Amino acid sequence: MDFNTSWYFDKKIERTKKALEKNNYEVYVVNNVDEMKEKVLELIQDKSTVSFGGSMTLVNSGILDELRKKDIKLLDRYKEGLTGDEIANLYRETFFADYYITSSNAVTENGELVNLDGNGNRVAAMIFGPKKVIVIVGQNKLVKDLEEAYDRVRNYASPINAKRLNRRTPCCETGYCLDCNSNDRICNHYVVTYRQNVKGRGIVIIVKDELGY
């Protein structure tokens, strides 16, 4: 990324950070994935209970592997050999976790988190339950406003995730949302978080890199 492009994203990050802080979030800006992992491990106390949402940002960054080495109780939904019932129980245990780590489908320059879920367990935990929620977002997910966020979530992130999950939905054929009624639809719960009501509960880490969808 050249100097001018970096300048453009720095300005967008600056506006977003200021708005998030106004909305009661604790915000950290890091330069790369390695710095992000250091910050997450620094924030999470030993012996605590930690859960996380389904997210390619978490999977591809390697933060989950680092968490598995840490002295914590990790509610690991990707642990080999888990049954469907065991995974569902982990989703429920998440509400009592000390920390919940996830990403956001989009973050506006007004400090709003915008997410679209299939089952709703991710957005539910972001809203209520875990004592602290750590949201990791690459600069590619920062958008101007709710209109741009909606377009990004419906016509970019959702079709890509549906394709990744091998869903039989129209968007996997067209590459954009047709607001279908398919049984395989993953766009079931659209949530806009305008503000974190408990100051300090929400922590946003913005990475100056492209992460996730």
Side-chain angles (χ1 to χ4, degrees), residues 191-204:
V191 175
V192 178
T193 304
Y194 294 95
R195 182 176 180 272
Q196 176 55 245
N197 59 310
V198 180
K199 188 175 179 62
R201 177 179 182 265
I203 301 168
V204 179

Side-chain angles (χ1 to χ4, degrees), residues 29-46:
V29 178
V30 298
N31 291 307
N32 51 52
V33 167
D34 288 339
E35 288 187 10
M36 177 273 287
K37 289 190 283 191
E38 288 178 10
K39 177 54 67 175
V40 171
L41 296 175
E42 174 190 315
L43 290 169
I44 293 176
Q45 296 181 1
D46 288 345

Side-chain angles (χ1 to χ4, degrees), residues 26-53 55 57-59 61-72 74 98-103 132-138 202-207 211:
E26 186 177 323
V27 185
Y28 299 94
V29 178
V30 298
N31 291 307
N32 51 52
V33 167
D34 288 339
E35 288 187 10
M36 177 273 287
K37 289 190 283 191
E38 288 178 10
K39 177 54 67 175
V40 171
L41 296 175
E42 174 190 315
L43 290 169
I44 293 176
Q45 296 181 1
D46 288 345
K47 310 297 183 183
S48 58
T49 299
V50 180
S51 185
F52 58 88
S55 165
T57 293
L58 303 188
V59 172
S61 68
I63 184 59
L64 297 181
D65 292 329
E66 297 300 323
L67 290 171
R68 291 178 181 120
K69 301 173 188 175
K70 192 171 173 62
D71 184 17
I72 58 174
L74 183 64
D98 298 303
Y99 300 91
Y100 184 69
I101 307 173
T102 186
S103 188
K132 287 187 177 290
V133 177
I134 300 174
V135 182
I136 302 166
V137 289
I203 301 168
V204 179
I205 301 175
I206 301 173
V207 186
L211 289 175

